[in-house]
Amino acid sequence: EHPVSLLPGDRLLMFTDGMWAVESPEKKTFGERSFLKKLTRLSAESDTGPAFLSGVHQVLEDHRRDQPLPDDVTLVLVERRIS
C-alpha cells in the first residue's frame, strides 16, 4: 500500500493488461509500449476525464476493428477536479 495525493487537475489511471492485448484483424496486439505512448498523448490532448476516456476507447476500437476481445479490458480513471 502506498498513499497517493492528487492535486487539482491530477489523474490516476488504473487498467488491466487486457488493454494492450487487443488484437487487430491481422492478429497484431496493441502492445504495452504502444498503448502507454497513446495514453500519454491522449492525456496531454484531453482537457477532461470523459474526453480522455473517449479517446482511449476510440484508439482501441480503431486498432481492433470489430475483432473479439481476447481478455478483459478494464480502465478506471480518477480525476481530481479543480474547484
Side-chain angles (χ1 to χ4, degrees):
E1 293 182 29
H2 300 287
V4 175
S5 296
L6 297 178
L7 299 174
D10 283 351
R11 295 175 181 160
L12 173 65
L13 183 67
M14 299 166 278
F15 51 86
T16 61
D17 62 354
M19 297 296 287
W20 56 77
V22 172
E23 294 181 339
S24 68
E26 298 80 27
K27 301 296 182 197
K28 180 179 179 190
T29 60
F30 204 106
E32 183 177 359
R33 183 173 290 174
S34 177
F35 177 69
L36 293 176
K37 282 183 182 180
K38 293 282 187 181
L39 287 181
T40 300
R41 181 183 58 79
L42 286 169
S43 182
E45 293 174 355
S46 304
D47 57 351
T48 67
F52 174 71
L53 292 174
S54 179
V56 173
H57 180 259
Q58 189 60 55
V59 163
L60 292 174
E61 290 300 306
D62 289 348
H63 180 76
R64 77 181 188 102
R65 297 177 296 211
D66 297 323
Q67 293 299 303
L69 296 171
D71 197 357
D72 67 293
V73 175
T74 304
L75 182 73
V76 177
L77 176 66
V78 177
E79 179 177 51
R80 182 165 177 195
R81 293 186 177 184
I82 299 170
S83 51

